[in-house]
Amino acid sequence: MSKPLVIVESPTKERTLKKYLGNQYKVASTVGHIKDLPQKEFGIDVENRFAPKYVTVPGKQKVIKALKTAAQDCSEVYLAPDPDREGEAIAWHTADILKKKGGGPRFYRVLFHELTKKGVEDALAKTESLNENKYKAQQTRRILDRLVGYEISPILWKKVKYGLSAGRVQSVAVRMICEREREIQAFEPVEYWSVTAHLEGDNPPPFAAKLAKKDGKKLTISNEQAANAVLDEIKQADFIVDKINRKTVKRNPYPPFITSKLQQDAIRRLRFSAKKTMTVAQQLYEGLDLGHGEYVGLITYMRTDSTRISAEAANEALDLIRQSFGSDYALDKPRFFKNKNKAQDAHEAIRPTSVYNTPEKVAPYLSRDQLSLYKLIWKRFVASQMAQALIDQQSVNINAGSYLFTASGSTVKFPGFLALYQSADEASEAKGKNGEKTELPELSEGMRLAVKQIEPKQHFTAPPPRYSEASLVKALEENGIGRPSTYAAILSNIQDKEYVRLEKGNFYPSELGCIVSDLLVENFPDIFNVDFTAQMENDLDRVEASEAEAMDVLNRFYQVFESRVTTAADQMHSVKGVGVPTDLSCPVCGKRLRIKVGKNGPFLACEGYPECTYSRNYTRDEKGRIHPVEPDHGAAEGEICDKCGRPMVVKQGKYGDFLACSGYPECKNTRSLNGNMKNAPPTGVKCPEEGCDGELVERKSKRGKIFYGCSRFPDCTYALWDKPVPKPCPQCGAPFLVEKTTKKEGTVLKCINKACGYKE
């Protein structure tokens, strides 16, 4: 019998394992999933207990052949894809292709939580059976996503636009972004005023105090007149320190990262996207060369919502803290953190595999991004085992006649874990509005304060902020939508589908995104509901924990879903055809304008079509109101429409500028711009289109790139990028050659007929 075979899902992980296992094992990788639902068909037999039809992933035939060859003489196969649901599915499908009738190898499930020598040895010594419940949870999620995607997407193609898609989780995320945008549009700001007294005691520094109460009651100043009345009363008052409160607050460190918190901190601190964070974390987990071919996994598995850590790792951190910071900064015993109720405890929190791989030590071997993320993970974990920070807080009440001003400040008495790490939230809390720490002078009760300035300031209440990547991840997590391991894909998908855009760090819904979201919410109110989606995620967790049956979850979902699909197919509003009515009237015929969706997205069109062909692009203002965008036509001097006598204007089309009648849509006459102007350099080459008597001329695209098109545009749309040369091909007789310049060949002449291949 040959050596045991270890199968992982990643070539990078395969390389790392080979360094640890040496010649005792064979190691191979599946390079991701090898089986999945088919791409071009439904693949779910709903009538047969939702049986999935698994097929080989395109391009994986060679991988499967290599795995079968590697396992041919093995009596033991260790299945070691990632220790999560997706990894479990890969393990089950791999076992399925390698098992043999009447025998075959014995299969063992191996969970590598960290790719270090000890971590690998421990995992191989503690093999498990394949986890059927975890596999069922993954399969159930896949079936649910396929049901939603394959049954709703075709309705959107018919009613809105071909190529659109719906997703069980992604559509809820889009809904949240659209609803937040409407909250912002509906928001009515309210004016209010603040009054700040800039004061000075017997000792520096000067400080600021905010007006808070009058006659013991909270004071709200709603306008400038009220603010001036307050100022008139305060000007004559003495500012006397009434009461000073001092206390020392103990602050504990945060637990080590879970996936969602790592994404949030990386977005805020490093400006990484969620997707980039997970990509770089995967590299750190799978192993990097720390010199001399020594591949080491630097962090534990990065898809987890558990804050659990091993006692061994915690004690190692305590030893390092004593060595590097001193005993005052180290705990007497490790600090452990409780998980949230719904957290799965299969994996540890994200931590360095060894705290002695300090960022300084590994820096020469890591890329800039890898080092930045590793430093964040390393510091957060080590800080979690450091002593509390002690913060001296001081608050002061200051009387000014019947008015009460307050001021507060804080100083760090003992930094504890803050000497190493502050979260993005803690860092912003520690600074005032001007980016400086708040500090008060030594004050005593009864002290009279000098008034340097009293500053009234106008404010307006602000609308809720748009979602950033970090705040959307936080909202998804808090609402139980998706799982931390899926957030990066969700945020990427909704941008790829052009339902939202990320601009200056904030998510804005596209017009198309809001139209699709509204239709889905209207027709599937319970399916694309935050609570419903969260409950579905909880059900999947229960399937994995053997607390619920997969078939019960699917049946309960499909009972609601099937009726909704049938109704939506018939009753969903057709934005492609009839369109969504607006409050705007057509300026041509007076009928109502509707929002329709065409090839290039939403636009306004008259409901009197085809009798009235008025249509325009549109924008929305900050209140969400629709405004048609009138085309910016430039007049073509001296050019008159030969059909109605109106002036011709220059328009921009798919193939460049052309002349069109200014009387559109009543008159739709167009003609070539280049054929009437002398600024289009001729090439001397006749247009090759059959029946066309035009000439190829040099033109420019919308982006300023030179191309060559027919002078009879828009009647003839023949165009090419390469410069035509009036010289027939000596080999096949083609009417002209084209000039092409490349780095490899320089400038050459080639035949326009690719099948010919002539070149000089």
Side-chain angles (χ1 to χ4, degrees):
M1 288 289 183
S2 65
K3 292 177 285 189
L5 174 63
V6 178
I7 299 176
V8 293
E9 85 293 349
S10 159
T12 305
K13 194 186 291 186
E14 176 186 348
R15 179 189 60 194
T16 303
L17 281 176
K18 284 180 177 177
K19 291 291 181 181
Y20 293 133
L21 298 178
N23 295 322
Q24 298 177 18
Y25 295 83
K26 292 189 292 184
V27 186
S29 64
T30 65
V31 196
H33 284 275
I34 55 175
K35 284 191 173 185
D36 198 0
L37 298 175
Q39 293 181 353
K40 297 183 179 180
E41 60 178 288
F42 188 30
I44 305 294
D45 188 349
V46 175
E47 302 300 325
N48 184 23
R49 295 174 58 83
F50 300 96
K53 174 186 176 182
Y54 287 113
V55 298
T56 300
V57 173
K60 290 298 180 73
Q61 289 82 357
K62 289 184 178 179
V63 172
I64 291 175
K65 184 178 179 181
L67 290 173
K68 287 182 175 180
T69 301
Q72 193 167 11
D73 299 323
C74 292
S75 60
E76 295 177 331
V77 174
Y78 295 88
L79 301 167
D82 283 349
D84 58 10
R85 289 176 188 165
E86 294 303 311
E88 198 66 31
I90 294 173
W92 275 76
H93 292 151
T94 303
D96 185 59
I97 66 162
L98 296 182
K99 66 184 180 183
K100 300 175 183 178
K101 291 182 179 179
R106 292 189 299 275
F107 295 104
Y108 302 94
R109 184 71 168 106
V110 180
L111 304 177
F112 290 134
H113 296 290
E114 60 181 78
L115 293 180
T116 59
K117 186 173 181 62
K118 185 178 185 305
V120 169
E121 290 174 349
D122 288 348
L124 286 171
K126 299 175 183 176
T127 59
E128 302 177 2
S129 300
L130 288 166
N131 189 325
E132 185 174 10
N133 290 323
K134 186 180 287 188
Y135 175 50
K136 283 182 177 179
Q138 189 275 345
Q139 184 171 263
T140 304
R141 180 200 63 80
R142 195 76 182 88
I143 292 171
L144 288 169
D145 290 345
R146 179 57 62 103
L147 288 170
V148 172
Y150 264 69
E151 297 210 19
I152 295 181
S153 295
I155 299 176
L156 294 178
W157 302 346
K158 180 181 177 182
K159 304 288 187 177
V160 184
K161 179 184 175 184
Y162 182 77
L164 298 180
S165 70
R168 184 178 58 86
V169 177
Q170 75 173 34
S171 295
V172 178
V174 173
R175 176 182 181 175
M176 291 169 63
I177 293 170
C178 292
E179 290 180 347
R180 175 60 59 87
E181 190 67 24
R182 283 169 181 156
E183 285 181 54
I184 294 170
Q185 292 170 352
F187 183 81
E188 294 292 342
V190 176
E191 180 183 8
Y192 70 98
W193 287 68
S194 65
V195 175
T196 303
H198 296 273
L199 307 170
E200 196 169 34
D202 295 341
N203 302 300
F207 65 100
K210 293 282 187 182
L211 177 59
K213 294 181 179 181
K214 181 181 181 181
D215 296 326
K217 296 180 180 179
K218 184 178 178 181
L219 180 65
T220 300
I221 305 174
S222 57
N223 53 49
E224 185 176 12
Q225 183 179 0
N228 288 333
V230 170
L231 290 178
D232 289 341
E233 292 185 43
I234 290 175
K235 283 179 181 177
Q236 308 304 320
D238 292 328
F239 281 72
I240 308 294
V241 176
D242 176 51
K243 189 176 182 181
I244 301 174
N245 293 312
R246 295 183 178 92
K247 61 179 179 179
T248 298
V249 176
K250 297 177 180 179
R251 179 177 291 181
N252 287 315
Y254 284 109
F257 282 124
I258 59 175
T259 304
S260 56
K261 294 296 188 283
L262 174 63
Q263 291 172 348
Q264 291 171 46
D265 233 33
I267 290 166
R268 291 169 176 164
R269 285 176 168 271
L270 308 179
R271 299 293 184 264
F272 284 9
S273 66
K275 184 177 181 180
K276 180 176 180 179
T277 300
M278 296 307 292
T279 298
V280 177
Q282 183 90 28
Q283 295 165 359
L284 296 172
Y285 163 69
E286 291 188 339
L288 297 167
D289 186 354
L290 299 186
H292 310 294
E294 181 192 353
Y295 287 91
V296 177
L298 289 177
I299 64 171
T300 54
Y301 191 57
M302 65 287 159
R303 293 185 179 92
T304 177
D305 53 4
S306 169
T307 56
R308 178 177 63 83
I309 56 173
S310 69
E312 181 182 8
N315 281 309
E316 185 183 67
L318 289 176
D319 289 341
L320 178 132
I321 292 164
R322 293 186 188 99
Q323 295 170 22
S324 302
F325 293 89
S327 57
D328 289 345
Y329 286 82
L331 302 171
D332 294 332
K333 59 182 180 179
R335 179 188 286 118
F336 298 106
F337 300 87
K338 290 184 179 180
N339 282 320
K340 293 182 180 179
N341 291 333
K342 66 179 181 180
Q344 299 298 300
D345 200 38
H347 321 301
E348 286 191 57
I350 305 169
R351 61 168 177 82
T353 55
S354 171
V355 294
Y356 292 109
N357 283 326
T358 63
E360 294 74 22
K361 179 181 176 181
V362 301
Y365 311 104
L366 272 58
S367 69
R368 181 178 177 181
D369 289 344
Q370 290 168 345
L371 180 60
S372 296
L373 192 65
Y374 181 70
K375 191 180 294 184
L376 208 60
I377 294 167
W378 188 91
K379 286 186 174 182
R380 173 98 165 203
F381 171 67
V382 175
S384 75
Q385 297 303 312
M386 294 179 73
Q388 297 171 322
L390 301 179
I391 313 295
D392 283 340
Q393 293 183 346
Q394 178 176 281
S395 61
V396 182
N397 289 347
I398 300 164
N399 287 332
S402 60
Y403 292 93
L404 175 71
F405 285 76
T406 62
S408 61
S410 62
T411 56
V412 178
K413 181 178 182 181
F414 175 68
F417 73 93
L418 293 176
L420 180 63
Y421 174 85
Q422 284 184 313
S423 71
D425 289 337
E426 287 172 326
S428 61
E429 284 177 12
K431 293 187 177 182
K433 289 185 178 179
N434 297 322
E436 297 178 356
K437 291 183 178 179
T438 306
E439 188 177 351
L440 294 178
E442 283 295 325
L443 300 171
S444 58
E445 294 179 0
M447 179 184 289
R448 186 183 299 271
L449 303 173
V451 180
K452 311 301 290 183
Q453 180 189 3
I454 298 178
E455 178 189 13
K457 193 170 184 179
Q458 184 187 41
H459 307 273
F460 290 91
T461 54
R466 290 181 175 88
Y467 285 113
S468 64
E469 279 200 293
S471 63
L472 184 57
V473 166
K474 184 178 182 180
L476 292 172
E477 181 187 25
E478 289 177 345
N479 285 287
I481 299 170
R483 278 293 172 261
S485 59
T486 66
Y487 294 153
I490 292 169
L491 269 57
S492 180
N493 285 342
I494 61 178
Q495 293 176 76
D496 292 343
K497 300 295 183 184
E498 297 184 351
Y499 290 150
V500 304
R501 70 182 190 278
L502 190 62
E503 188 175 300
K504 295 182 179 178
N506 294 320
F507 280 115
Y508 291 77
S510 69
E511 191 67 32
L512 179 63
C514 286
I515 289 172
V516 171
S517 181
D518 289 347
L519 291 173
L520 292 177
V521 172
E522 180 183 354
N523 291 274
F524 299 90
D526 25 28
I527 305 300
F528 297 108
N529 174 281
V530 170
D531 293 337
F532 182 89
T533 306
Q535 181 57 48
M536 192 57 62
E537 295 296 339
N538 187 52
D539 286 343
L540 293 175
D541 289 342
R542 292 175 63 238
V543 170
E544 181 174 339
S546 193
E547 296 172 358
E549 288 294 329
M551 204 53 54
D552 292 341
V553 172
L554 290 169
N555 281 325
R556 190 164 58 251
F557 171 82
Y558 200 69
Q559 284 174 2
V560 178
F561 181 70
E562 183 181 25
S563 62
R564 293 292 186 190
V565 169
T566 303
T567 304
D570 180 51
Q571 298 181 8
M572 182 183 282
H573 201 84
S574 175
V575 185
K576 184 188 290 185
V578 178
V580 178
T582 71
D583 295 331
L584 301 177
S585 298
C586 175
V588 176
C589 71
K591 292 184 178 180
R592 185 156 45 174
L593 294 180
R594 290 176 174 267
I595 296 174
K596 293 188 177 183
V597 176
K599 183 179 179 181
N600 297 316
F603 65 98
L604 288 175
C606 179
E607 66 180 9
Y609 180 86
E611 288 76 17
C612 179
T613 58
Y614 177 86
S615 66
R616 290 290 184 271
N617 290 329
Y618 67 92
T619 60
R620 290 185 185 268
D621 61 21
E622 67 279 358
K623 290 297 179 185
R625 295 172 295 222
I626 294 174
H627 299 278
V629 176
E630 296 299 329
D632 184 17
H633 299 324
E637 189 175 348
E639 296 291 340
I640 302 298
C641 177
D642 53 10
K643 291 187 177 180
C644 71
R646 297 177 192 175
M648 298 292 278
V649 295
V650 180
K651 286 190 176 183
Q652 201 171 50
K654 183 178 180 181
Y655 298 100
D657 293 345
F658 63 95
L659 291 174
C661 179
S662 60
Y664 181 85
E666 290 82 7
C667 179
K668 300 178 182 178
N669 185 29
T670 62
R671 66 173 183 259
S672 168
L673 174 66
N674 292 315
N676 290 276
M677 297 186 178
K678 298 179 181 180
N679 63 347
T683 63
V685 175
K686 183 182 176 182
C687 178
E689 285 289 317
E690 186 176 350
C692 180
D693 59 358
E695 179 185 2
L696 298 184
V697 295
E698 182 181 309
R699 293 163 61 188
K700 284 187 178 180
S701 69
K702 292 180 182 180
R703 297 185 178 182
K705 187 176 179 180
I706 292 175
F707 71 101
Y708 302 88
C710 182
S711 59
R712 293 189 65 248
F713 176 81
D715 298 318
C716 176
T717 58
Y718 181 85
L720 71 166
W721 291 112
D722 299 320
K723 181 179 180 180
V725 176
K727 180 179 179 180
C729 176
Q731 188 164 297
C732 72
F736 62 93
L737 302 176
V738 292
E739 183 181 286
K740 200 171 185 71
T741 302
T742 64
K743 289 183 179 180
K744 184 177 180 180
E745 297 180 307
T747 301
V748 297
L749 295 180
K750 292 186 174 182
C751 181
I752 190 66
N753 180 8
K754 293 182 179 179
C756 172
Y758 176 78
K759 181 170 62 176
E760 65 177 67

